[in-house]
Amino acid sequence: MASRADNIASNLSLANFSKATELKKRIWFTIGALIVFRFLSFVPLPGVNPLVLETLYDQTRGGILDLFNTFSGGSLERMSLIALGVMPYITASIVVQMASSLHPALAALKKEGQTGRQKLNQYTRYGTVFLCAIQGWFLAAGLEAYGAQSGLQAVVQTGYMFRIGAVISLVGGTMFLLWLGEQITSRGIGNGVSLIIMAGIVAQFPTFVTNLFEGGRTGSIGPAVIIGFIVMVVVLILFICFMERAQRRLLIQYPKRASAQGMMQADRSHLPLKINTAGVIPPIFASSLLLLPLTITQFAGASVSTESTGGAILQSTLQYLQHGQPLYMALYAAGIIFFCFFYTAVVFNPEETAENLKKNGGFIPGIRPGNRTAEYLDYVLTRITVVGAAYLTLVCVIPEYVIAQTGIPLFLGGTSLLIVVNVTVDTISQVQSHLLAHQYGDLIKKAKLKGRNR
């Protein structure tokens, strides 16, 4: 049975939106911050020739550059100030989360509450600066050698001054995006960093739709393929929405307590376990690991000699790791499954959850508190993670198969769909929470007025 809050939330109407002035201010602030993000994506690095860079980038598509370019909203393709986007921050945060679950000192710091979280956040920022500096230096060095075989030079004047300037610009751009994301989170609506990633993905949607229908007009893409693709995207979105909200709710029983009427009453609650506990981390990690060798070869512009046995094997391996190849899709699916189980084990600790339940007097009916509860939680989590891993594999492999069969340059892959749908659902939930709070405020005011008239 739905709760009172669920019933009110389902009956929310947009008529109350005009009265929620605080919510409107937050939405306008979020829109303004995202517009600033889009403006920055068109500001190139100092010393880079954008026209030559565009020509060279078209020659090296298919690697991890496309994945990062999608998340940065085309900033990497234009080599803008925010070319690295927020990916270094995401990588650093994942490393810190894993370290806090494995290292005893960081695990103790994680349990200290707000002070510990601030300290871990500080470590994450240090890691972000370090990763930005390393990636920025190699990116600048790669730009200097970019297009050496074709005789084109993306950098106007090579040298250490260009590399140092590029590193400073890229680090500053990424840290500004983090600050912008924090402002969106505190003064806007939704999670700021997630919204920035989603804005970068959605920004390429008009170009993709234009190319899709242009291919249909010229005859390079058949009408049946276009209709089938649209149906596939709609079905995948609905499936993602269903699976992301799916939960396995465990009943938690608390001891009987004396109520206000003097009766003994037992409290009950539920422990929700998401089917997809790992989120979008497994597809991102699997894609990065698979596409990294191909990208290094393409970006360096160096051909691998096939005269030696090692060179021939490497060349064949790189060929089989292209998008849509059976080996690529098999390794991609295996990587998603592995990281799904690995990251779920990192973010959810059954022993810690069982210990917290025992301290608060809660228990699962039929399961003894302590180690038996931890074993039961691990058993349930493993079973639902199997379903979650199968769901992520299906959503991410189907678009890759469509790309291989139809040849459509599908930027809206499974990872992009997961991010867009997750962020959209989370943002809508926060909007509903603000409207619900505003509606409760109106009810409280009306109750006070009626109380005074009595």
Side-chain angles (χ1 to χ4, degrees), residues 58 142 177 185 198 211 270 285 300 378 388 391 393 409 419 434:
D58 291 335
L177 284 185
T185 303
M198 189 193 75
N211 295 336
H270 291 87
F285 271 32
D378 183 68
Y391 143 70
T393 304
I419 293 174
H434 282 278

Side-chain angles (χ1 to χ4, degrees), residues 38 41-42 44-45 48 50 53 69 73-80:
R38 290 303 299 159
S41 66
F42 289 92
L45 285 174
V48 175
L53 185 65
N69 186 60
S75 301
L76 185 60
E77 180 181 359
R78 294 182 288 268
M79 207 55 64
S80 69

Side-chain angles (χ1 to χ4, degrees), residues 438-452:
H438 184 267
Q439 187 168 341
Y440 269 125
D442 291 342
L443 292 174
I444 292 174
K445 290 180 181 179
K446 291 179 181 179
K448 288 183 178 179
L449 290 175
K450 290 181 180 178
R452 291 175 182 175

Side-chain angles (χ1 to χ4, degrees), residues 84-94 124 127-129 131-132 135 174:
L84 296 179
V86 294
M87 292 303 293
Y89 172 76
I90 294 176
T91 305
S93 62
I94 292 172
T124 303
T128 302
V129 174
L131 289 176
C132 284
Q135 293 180 9
T174 298

Side-chain angles (χ1 to χ4, degrees), residues 14 16-18 20-35 183-190 195 427-428 430-432 434-435:
L14 294 178
N16 297 326
F17 181 79
S18 59
T21 56
E22 177 66 22
L23 178 60
K24 288 193 294 184
K25 290 180 180 178
R26 287 179 172 270
I27 292 177
W28 281 116
F29 180 85
T30 303
I31 295 174
L34 294 179
I35 291 175
Q183 297 302 311
I184 293 175
T185 303
S186 60
R187 302 173 59 184
I189 194 78
L195 280 173
T427 305
I428 292 176
Q430 292 199 24
V431 171
Q432 289 181 343
H434 282 278
L435 289 176

Side-chain angles (χ1 to χ4, degrees), residues 362-435:
F363 63 94
I364 300 175
I367 307 296
R368 296 184 62 180
N371 294 332
R372 294 297 302 271
T373 300
E375 293 174 359
Y376 179 75
L377 290 175
D378 183 68
Y379 168 73
V380 173
L381 191 65
T382 302
R383 293 178 64 189
I384 64 176
T385 304
V386 172
V387 180
Y391 143 70
L392 284 179
T393 304
L394 184 65
V395 169
C396 294
V397 170
I398 286 180
E400 296 292 338
Y401 179 78
V402 172
I403 294 174
Q405 297 298 320
T406 62
I408 299 178
L410 185 61
F411 90 95
L412 199 63
T415 306
S416 302
L417 275 175
L418 285 170
I419 293 174
V420 171
V421 173
N422 275 320
V423 176
T424 302
V425 170
D426 180 66
T427 305
I428 292 176
S429 299
Q430 292 199 24
V431 171
Q432 289 181 343
S433 299
H434 282 278
L435 289 176

